[in-house]
Amino acid sequence: MLRKFVTLYRHIIDEERKYPDATGELSDLLADIALACKVISLEVNRAGLIDLMGVTGTENVHGEQVKKLDEYAHDTLVRAMEVSGHLCAIASEESEDYIPVNEKFMGERPLSKYIIHFDPLDGSSNIDANISIGTIFSIYKRKSESGPGTLEDCLQQGTNQVAAGYIIYGSSTIMVYTTGRGVHGFTLDPTVGEFLLFYENIKIPKRSKTYSINEGNYTKWSEGLRKYVDDLKSDNKAAGRPYSARYVGSLVADFHRNLLYGGLFMYPGDTKNPNGKLRLLYEANPLAFIVEQAGGRASSGSQRILEIVPLNLHQKTPLFIGSEEDVVEAEKYLKMK
Ligand code: AHM
Ligand code: MG
């Protein structure tokens, strides 16, 4: 049987029609993100040829070396998004402060009602090794009434997200998004330059056989987490053990594999980094929205990720995300002293 031939834009518009009050602004934003990410995808593929790989020599707000492609991806997304006329603020993992969108970009519209958060190039330490990397985004409605967006607009709970998604630059470029009505995946066909639907309404298996964690940090983990991972590796066929370990070290790649096949991704807090490494606004919240829409679960170990109230833009959180029953089981072990 022939597959349905549906472009990303067609899908977004069809989804929008299901909401009688939709104005088309969110659809425009999603299309702008897709366009920016096509440009980033081209550059990721060409990076080795035009010397974009390697570091710029500066550090980002987290004290990590900024890769040239990180900067390029950040600039491309900001340039593509701020002219949309639908945004009042942008917050990026690569920028210390949020970027209020100047009214000059708001065109004729009296009010630009959306906020976007993104991690422009997640997993960027893998760039030089040709390992999959990605862009993660998250969209909210503003709380303030007019003018450029405020910090309060940017610091919203994940439950307020109206859309979220990610783009993987891998063996092919893939975009996955949700607007709160299921999770849908598209593959970029480079010959026609369009994202084409490959998977509608993705559902993550309730229970998996795969765990993903940086086990090099084992000695810094809590007792409960050590017990849990020891248990996952035990030879206990009746309990579905041992699990397989899969860890790329590129969140979008680890998350995407687990979304399709089932799995549990963990980036815990430890004695060195009590809140782990991943950022609530740029990484945890959008993936939590997606995983819940796919029937999975996302937790800090003690709280639903989407209910955490953010206090600052670059706040970190421990993250346990993936197949529902696995996350629930991890939470039980984490309560152990
Ligand atoms: P980045 O946003 O600076 O690229 O960092 C986030 C990345 C994730 O993609 C990945 O899951 C994690 O860092 C890997 O960290 P570690 O090397 O500590 O295992
Ligand atoms: Mg990241």
Side-chain angles (χ1 to χ4, degrees):
M1 195 178 75
L2 281 175
R3 287 174 73 111
K4 277 198 282 180
F5 196 75
V6 181
T7 65
L8 174 67
Y9 197 64
R10 162 65 41 215
H11 197 269
I12 291 170
I13 297 288
D14 286 349
E15 283 295 302
E16 183 198 322
R17 289 205 179 110
K18 294 177 188 161
Y19 296 90
D21 298 335
T23 57
E25 291 163 89
L26 184 60
S27 302
D28 279 359
L29 277 181
L30 291 168
D32 288 342
I33 293 167
L35 175 64
C37 291
K38 280 188 217 171
V39 175
I40 296 169
S41 172
L42 272 178
E43 221 53 32
V44 169
N45 290 337
R46 290 192 317 148
L49 299 171
I50 57 173
D51 194 31
L52 265 177
M53 289 199 197
V55 297
T56 58
T58 57
E59 288 188 344
N60 68 11
V61 291
H62 311 287
E64 302 151 338
Q65 286 222 303
V66 177
K67 299 266 176 173
K68 288 180 190 173
L69 261 176
D70 293 35
E71 277 187 2
Y72 177 84
H74 168 87
D75 290 347
T76 304
L77 279 159
V78 171
R79 277 186 12 238
M81 305 307 300
E82 68 183 356
V83 294
S84 70
H86 307 313
L87 288 176
C88 64
I90 297 172
S92 162
E93 193 189 292
E94 294 299 336
S95 168
E96 186 158 5
D97 291 322
Y98 71 97
I99 303 166
V101 176
N102 194 299
E103 275 148 321
K104 80 174 181 232
F105 289 122
M106 294 188 187
E108 306 293 300
R109 293 164 210 277
L111 175 67
S112 299
K113 66 178 181 211
Y114 290 108
I115 311 286
I116 190 164
H117 295 161
F118 45 72
D119 179 353
L121 213 52
D122 178 68
S124 53
S125 65
N126 291 313
I127 291 171
D128 294 348
N130 207 16
I131 289 171
S132 298
I133 50 182
T135 297
I136 309 174
F137 67 89
S138 167
I139 298 176
Y140 296 79
K141 277 191 183 150
R142 71 183 303 161
K143 289 181 148 182
S144 57
E145 309 241 307
S146 60
T150 63
L151 183 60
E152 199 204 352
D153 288 324
C154 295
L155 295 179
Q156 298 191 45
Q157 277 173 279
T159 43
N160 290 354
Q161 289 172 101
V162 293
Y166 59 85
I167 293 88
I168 301 183
Y169 313 107
S171 50
S172 53
T173 297
I174 282 172
M175 177 161 170
V176 172
Y177 86 97
T178 183
T179 51
R181 293 173 62 100
V183 178
H184 315 295
F186 300 78
T187 306
L188 180 63
D189 181 338
T191 55
V192 290
E194 291 277 6
F195 281 102
L196 300 177
L197 183 67
F198 80 87
Y199 203 154
E200 195 164 34
N201 219 359
I202 300 170
K203 290 289 172 206
I204 183 169
K206 288 283 173 202
R207 164 71 76 173
S208 79
K209 284 191 66 64
T210 305
Y211 72 99
S212 318
I213 191 167
N214 184 342
E215 229 167 320
N217 297 325
Y218 183 89
T219 57
K220 302 188 200 83
W221 295 345
S222 68
E223 189 65 26
L225 183 59
R226 288 206 296 258
K227 273 204 186 107
Y228 179 52
V229 173
D230 289 346
D231 179 35
L232 291 177
K233 296 192 289 188
S234 65
D235 208 2
N236 182 353
K237 211 170 168 197
R241 285 18 175 180
Y243 272 36
S244 292
R246 294 282 184 277
Y247 190 72
V248 177
S250 186
L251 178 61
V252 277
D254 279 313
F255 179 84
H256 187 66
R257 181 202 56 242
N258 291 351
L259 181 71
L260 296 186
Y261 305 150
L264 169 63
F265 177 93
M266 299 177 269
Y267 208 108
D270 60 29
T271 51
K272 192 169 159 216
N273 298 303
N275 291 317
K277 173 180 183 187
L278 301 174
R279 291 83 178 176
L280 176 63
L281 296 185
Y282 311 116
E283 292 159 328
N285 267 341
L287 298 186
F289 187 23
I290 292 168
V291 90
E292 286 197 4
Q293 281 294 312
R297 185 176 175 100
S299 160
S300 68
S302 56
Q303 189 180 8
R304 183 182 171 211
I305 289 290
L306 294 180
E307 288 176 0
I308 299 174
V309 178
L311 300 176
N312 66 69
L313 290 173
H314 295 281
Q315 183 169 327
K316 293 178 180 173
T317 177
L319 180 63
F320 298 82
I321 189 166
S323 294
E324 185 178 21
E325 291 173 16
D326 292 302
V327 177
V328 168
E329 194 168 40
E331 286 169 329
K332 279 190 197 139
Y333 276 83
L334 290 165
K335 283 194 192 117
M336 292 178 188
K337 287 290 158 227

mmCIF file of all heavy atoms in Angstrom, residues 175-203:
data_model
loop_
_atom_site.group_PDB
_atom_site.id
_atom_site.type_symbol
_atom_site.label_atom_id
_atom_site.label_comp_id
_atom_site.label_asym_id
_atom_site.label_seq_id
_atom_site.Cartn_x
_atom_site.Cartn_y
_atom_site.Cartn_z
ATOM 1 N N MET A 175 11.937 15.805 11.890
ATOM 2 C CA MET A 175 11.277 16.741 12.801
ATOM 3 C C MET A 175 10.105 16.031 13.474
ATOM 4 O O MET A 175 9.309 15.368 12.813
ATOM 5 C CB MET A 175 10.761 17.963 12.041
ATOM 6 C CG MET A 175 9.992 18.935 12.923
ATOM 7 S SD MET A 175 9.883 20.582 12.171
ATOM 8 C CE MET A 175 8.703 21.386 13.265
ATOM 9 N N VAL A 176 10.029 16.172 14.797
ATOM 10 C CA VAL A 176 8.931 15.598 15.581
ATOM 11 C C VAL A 176 8.277 16.749 16.324
ATOM 12 O O VAL A 176 8.979 17.589 16.903
ATOM 13 C CB VAL A 176 9.481 14.545 16.572
ATOM 14 C CG1 VAL A 176 8.404 14.083 17.535
ATOM 15 C CG2 VAL A 176 10.067 13.353 15.811
ATOM 16 N N TYR A 177 6.934 16.841 16.275
ATOM 17 C CA TYR A 177 6.295 17.943 16.996
ATOM 18 C C TYR A 177 4.964 17.509 17.606
ATOM 19 O O TYR A 177 4.368 16.507 17.200
ATOM 20 C CB TYR A 177 6.103 19.165 16.080
ATOM 21 C CG TYR A 177 4.815 19.151 15.265
ATOM 22 C CD1 TYR A 177 3.691 19.858 15.712
ATOM 23 C CD2 TYR A 177 4.708 18.442 14.084
ATOM 24 C CE1 TYR A 177 2.499 19.861 14.975
ATOM 25 C CE2 TYR A 177 3.525 18.436 13.347
ATOM 26 C CZ TYR A 177 2.429 19.148 13.799
ATOM 27 O OH TYR A 177 1.254 19.129 13.084
ATOM 28 N N THR A 178 4.541 18.298 18.594
ATOM 29 C CA THR A 178 3.189 18.135 19.141
ATOM 30 C C THR A 178 2.586 19.504 19.384
ATOM 31 O O THR A 178 3.306 20.450 19.721
ATOM 32 C CB THR A 178 3.187 17.323 20.458
ATOM 33 O OG1 THR A 178 1.827 17.147 20.870
ATOM 34 C CG2 THR A 178 3.948 18.018 21.581
ATOM 35 N N THR A 179 1.273 19.604 19.199
ATOM 36 C CA THR A 179 0.563 20.807 19.637
ATOM 37 C C THR A 179 -0.473 20.383 20.695
ATOM 38 O O THR A 179 -1.465 21.066 20.908
ATOM 39 C CB THR A 179 -0.144 21.521 18.466
ATOM 40 O OG1 THR A 179 -0.935 20.557 17.752
ATOM 41 C CG2 THR A 179 0.837 22.159 17.513
ATOM 42 N N GLY A 180 -0.226 19.230 21.294
ATOM 43 C CA GLY A 180 -1.134 18.753 22.333
ATOM 44 C C GLY A 180 -2.185 17.799 21.798
ATOM 45 O O GLY A 180 -3.128 17.447 22.511
ATOM 46 N N ARG A 181 -2.035 17.402 20.547
ATOM 47 C CA ARG A 181 -2.940 16.393 19.962
ATOM 48 C C ARG A 181 -2.085 15.305 19.314
ATOM 49 O O ARG A 181 -2.087 15.136 18.104
ATOM 50 C CB ARG A 181 -3.835 17.032 18.901
ATOM 51 C CG ARG A 181 -4.836 18.036 19.472
ATOM 52 C CD ARG A 181 -5.551 18.736 18.353
ATOM 53 N NE ARG A 181 -6.329 17.813 17.541
ATOM 54 C CZ ARG A 181 -7.646 17.635 17.657
ATOM 55 N NH1 ARG A 181 -8.328 18.325 18.525
ATOM 56 N NH2 ARG A 181 -8.280 16.791 16.893
ATOM 57 N N GLY A 182 -1.340 14.617 20.134
ATOM 58 C CA GLY A 182 -0.490 13.541 19.620
ATOM 59 C C GLY A 182 0.851 14.054 19.147
ATOM 60 O O GLY A 182 1.105 15.257 19.085
ATOM 61 N N VAL A 183 1.708 13.094 18.809
ATOM 62 C CA VAL A 183 3.090 13.399 18.417
ATOM 63 C C VAL A 183 3.297 12.895 16.992
ATOM 64 O O VAL A 183 2.942 11.753 16.684
ATOM 65 C CB VAL A 183 4.079 12.687 19.367
ATOM 66 C CG1 VAL A 183 5.510 12.959 18.955
ATOM 67 C CG2 VAL A 183 3.836 13.119 20.805
ATOM 68 N N HIS A 184 3.840 13.739 16.136
ATOM 69 C CA HIS A 184 3.936 13.394 14.723
ATOM 70 C C HIS A 184 5.370 13.592 14.229
ATOM 71 O O HIS A 184 6.026 14.564 14.596
ATOM 72 C CB HIS A 184 2.967 14.251 13.918
ATOM 73 C CG HIS A 184 1.617 14.330 14.560
ATOM 74 N ND1 HIS A 184 0.802 13.217 14.706
ATOM 75 C CD2 HIS A 184 0.968 15.354 15.175
ATOM 76 C CE1 HIS A 184 -0.301 13.562 15.355
ATOM 77 N NE2 HIS A 184 -0.216 14.852 15.657
ATOM 78 N N GLY A 185 5.829 12.676 13.373
ATOM 79 C CA GLY A 185 7.219 12.711 12.912
ATOM 80 C C GLY A 185 7.314 12.860 11.401
ATOM 81 O O GLY A 185 6.522 12.272 10.650
ATOM 82 N N PHE A 186 8.293 13.638 10.946
ATOM 83 C CA PHE A 186 8.495 13.951 9.526
ATOM 84 C C PHE A 186 9.965 13.779 9.167
ATOM 85 O O PHE A 186 10.840 14.107 9.962
ATOM 86 C CB PHE A 186 8.077 15.406 9.237
ATOM 87 C CG PHE A 186 6.636 15.649 9.551
ATOM 88 C CD1 PHE A 186 6.227 15.837 10.869
ATOM 89 C CD2 PHE A 186 5.683 15.642 8.556
ATOM 90 C CE1 PHE A 186 4.890 16.011 11.188
ATOM 91 C CE2 PHE A 186 4.344 15.814 8.853
ATOM 92 C CZ PHE A 186 3.939 16.003 10.181
ATOM 93 N N THR A 187 10.224 13.308 7.966
ATOM 94 C CA THR A 187 11.599 13.176 7.487
ATOM 95 C C THR A 187 11.817 14.181 6.369
ATOM 96 O O THR A 187 10.965 14.317 5.478
ATOM 97 C CB THR A 187 11.835 11.758 6.915
ATOM 98 O OG1 THR A 187 11.458 10.823 7.910
ATOM 99 C CG2 THR A 187 13.300 11.541 6.559
ATOM 100 N N LEU A 188 12.948 14.852 6.410
ATOM 101 C CA LEU A 188 13.252 15.825 5.357
ATOM 102 C C LEU A 188 13.699 15.085 4.099
ATOM 103 O O LEU A 188 14.664 14.312 4.135
ATOM 104 C CB LEU A 188 14.361 16.774 5.828
ATOM 105 C CG LEU A 188 14.788 17.845 4.839
ATOM 106 C CD1 LEU A 188 13.643 18.809 4.521
ATOM 107 C CD2 LEU A 188 15.978 18.640 5.374
ATOM 108 N N ASP A 189 12.945 15.287 3.009
ATOM 109 C CA ASP A 189 13.365 14.748 1.717
ATOM 110 C C ASP A 189 14.225 15.821 1.058
ATOM 111 O O ASP A 189 13.705 16.849 0.604
ATOM 112 C CB ASP A 189 12.135 14.436 0.855
ATOM 113 C CG ASP A 189 12.524 13.858 -0.500
ATOM 114 O OD1 ASP A 189 13.685 14.093 -0.930
ATOM 115 O OD2 ASP A 189 11.692 13.186 -1.125
ATOM 116 N N PRO A 190 15.547 15.625 1.017
ATOM 117 C CA PRO A 190 16.414 16.705 0.532
ATOM 118 C C PRO A 190 16.206 17.005 -0.951
ATOM 119 O O PRO A 190 16.516 18.110 -1.409
ATOM 120 C CB PRO A 190 17.839 16.201 0.798
ATOM 121 C CG PRO A 190 17.715 14.748 1.059
ATOM 122 C CD PRO A 190 16.285 14.423 1.382
ATOM 123 N N THR A 191 15.641 16.043 -1.691
ATOM 124 C CA THR A 191 15.476 16.296 -3.127
ATOM 125 C C THR A 191 14.382 17.323 -3.399
ATOM 126 O O THR A 191 14.470 18.111 -4.328
ATOM 127 C CB THR A 191 15.150 14.988 -3.899
ATOM 128 O OG1 THR A 191 13.999 14.395 -3.293
ATOM 129 C CG2 THR A 191 16.318 14.027 -3.874
ATOM 130 N N VAL A 192 13.335 17.323 -2.561
ATOM 131 C CA VAL A 192 12.275 18.322 -2.753
ATOM 132 C C VAL A 192 12.291 19.391 -1.668
ATOM 133 O O VAL A 192 11.530 20.355 -1.732
ATOM 134 C CB VAL A 192 10.866 17.667 -2.827
ATOM 135 C CG1 VAL A 192 10.703 16.898 -4.101
ATOM 136 C CG2 VAL A 192 10.604 16.777 -1.636
ATOM 137 N N GLY A 193 13.154 19.214 -0.660
ATOM 138 C CA GLY A 193 13.265 20.226 0.391
ATOM 139 C C GLY A 193 12.059 20.286 1.303
ATOM 140 O O GLY A 193 11.782 21.308 1.916
ATOM 141 N N GLU A 194 11.321 19.188 1.410
ATOM 142 C CA GLU A 194 10.110 19.176 2.252
ATOM 143 C C GLU A 194 10.238 18.113 3.340
ATOM 144 O O GLU A 194 10.797 17.038 3.110
ATOM 145 C CB GLU A 194 8.878 18.805 1.415
ATOM 146 C CG GLU A 194 8.448 19.835 0.419
ATOM 147 C CD GLU A 194 7.577 20.929 1.035
ATOM 148 O OE1 GLU A 194 7.408 20.949 2.270
ATOM 149 O OE2 GLU A 194 7.085 21.764 0.274
ATOM 150 N N PHE A 195 9.676 18.424 4.509
ATOM 151 C CA PHE A 195 9.511 17.406 5.546
ATOM 152 C C PHE A 195 8.263 16.600 5.208
ATOM 153 O O PHE A 195 7.173 17.165 5.041
ATOM 154 C CB PHE A 195 9.305 18.058 6.917
ATOM 155 C CG PHE A 195 10.565 18.546 7.569
ATOM 156 C CD1 PHE A 195 10.892 19.892 7.562
ATOM 157 C CD2 PHE A 195 11.422 17.662 8.213
ATOM 158 C CE1 PHE A 195 12.052 20.351 8.183
ATOM 159 C CE2 PHE A 195 12.588 18.105 8.842
ATOM 160 C CZ PHE A 195 12.896 19.453 8.826
ATOM 161 N N LEU A 196 8.386 15.275 5.097
ATOM 162 C CA LEU A 196 7.242 14.419 4.758
ATOM 163 C C LEU A 196 6.892 13.507 5.934
ATOM 164 O O LEU A 196 7.787 12.976 6.609
ATOM 165 C CB LEU A 196 7.573 13.562 3.530
ATOM 166 C CG LEU A 196 7.914 14.353 2.253
ATOM 167 C CD1 LEU A 196 8.301 13.394 1.128
ATOM 168 C CD2 LEU A 196 6.731 15.224 1.821
ATOM 169 N N LEU A 197 5.602 13.343 6.157
ATOM 170 C CA LEU A 197 5.114 12.557 7.297
ATOM 171 C C LEU A 197 5.637 11.118 7.237
ATOM 172 O O LEU A 197 5.485 10.448 6.229
ATOM 173 C CB LEU A 197 3.578 12.536 7.272
ATOM 174 C CG LEU A 197 2.876 11.825 8.413
ATOM 175 C CD1 LEU A 197 3.072 12.557 9.733
ATOM 176 C CD2 LEU A 197 1.383 11.686 8.109
ATOM 177 N N PHE A 198 6.278 10.683 8.322
ATOM 178 C CA PHE A 198 6.656 9.265 8.352
ATOM 179 C C PHE A 198 5.946 8.527 9.470
ATOM 180 O O PHE A 198 5.860 7.301 9.455
ATOM 181 C CB PHE A 198 8.187 9.079 8.460
ATOM 182 C CG PHE A 198 8.756 9.236 9.853
ATOM 183 C CD1 PHE A 198 8.811 8.157 10.727
ATOM 184 C CD2 PHE A 198 9.233 10.456 10.280
ATOM 185 C CE1 PHE A 198 9.337 8.300 12.016
ATOM 186 C CE2 PHE A 198 9.755 10.611 11.557
ATOM 187 C CZ PHE A 198 9.807 9.541 12.425
ATOM 188 N N TYR A 199 5.419 9.239 10.479
ATOM 189 C CA TYR A 199 4.820 8.539 11.606
ATOM 190 C C TYR A 199 3.808 9.467 12.265
ATOM 191 O O TYR A 199 4.180 10.488 12.821
ATOM 192 C CB TYR A 199 5.917 8.166 12.609
ATOM 193 C CG TYR A 199 5.620 7.014 13.528
ATOM 194 C CD1 TYR A 199 6.658 6.254 14.066
ATOM 195 C CD2 TYR A 199 4.322 6.670 13.870
ATOM 196 C CE1 TYR A 199 6.414 5.189 14.928
ATOM 197 C CE2 TYR A 199 4.067 5.609 14.720
ATOM 198 C CZ TYR A 199 5.109 4.886 15.238
ATOM 199 O OH TYR A 199 4.869 3.839 16.091
ATOM 200 N N GLU A 200 2.525 9.129 12.159
ATOM 201 C CA GLU A 200 1.494 9.952 12.775
ATOM 202 C C GLU A 200 1.089 9.315 14.101
ATOM 203 O O GLU A 200 0.962 8.100 14.205
ATOM 204 C CB GLU A 200 0.278 10.042 11.838
ATOM 205 C CG GLU A 200 -0.675 11.139 12.228
ATOM 206 C CD GLU A 200 -1.646 11.476 11.105
ATOM 207 O OE1 GLU A 200 -2.016 10.548 10.369
ATOM 208 O OE2 GLU A 200 -2.020 12.659 10.988
ATOM 209 N N ASN A 201 0.918 10.165 15.102
ATOM 210 C CA ASN A 201 0.473 9.698 16.411
ATOM 211 C C ASN A 201 1.410 8.637 17.007
ATOM 212 O O ASN A 201 0.995 7.523 17.318
ATOM 213 C CB ASN A 201 -0.949 9.149 16.293
ATOM 214 C CG ASN A 201 -1.764 9.530 17.503
ATOM 215 O OD1 ASN A 201 -1.258 10.177 18.417
ATOM 216 N ND2 ASN A 201 -3.006 9.114 17.517
ATOM 217 N N ILE A 202 2.637 9.020 17.197
ATOM 218 C CA ILE A 202 3.643 8.104 17.761
ATOM 219 C C ILE A 202 3.267 7.766 19.204
ATOM 220 O O ILE A 202 2.907 8.651 19.984
ATOM 221 C CB ILE A 202 5.041 8.778 17.756
ATOM 222 C CG1 ILE A 202 5.464 9.139 16.335
ATOM 223 C CG2 ILE A 202 6.079 7.895 18.430
ATOM 224 C CD1 ILE A 202 6.720 10.012 16.247
ATOM 225 N N LYS A 203 3.365 6.484 19.555
ATOM 226 C CA LYS A 203 3.116 6.046 20.933
ATOM 227 C C LYS A 203 4.340 5.314 21.444
ATOM 228 O O LYS A 203 4.859 4.412 20.775
ATOM 229 C CB LYS A 203 1.897 5.107 21.006
ATOM 230 C CG LYS A 203 0.574 5.815 20.740
ATOM 231 C CD LYS A 203 0.186 6.745 21.889
ATOM 232 C CE LYS A 203 -1.028 7.590 21.561
ATOM 233 N NZ LYS A 203 -1.088 8.860 22.304
#
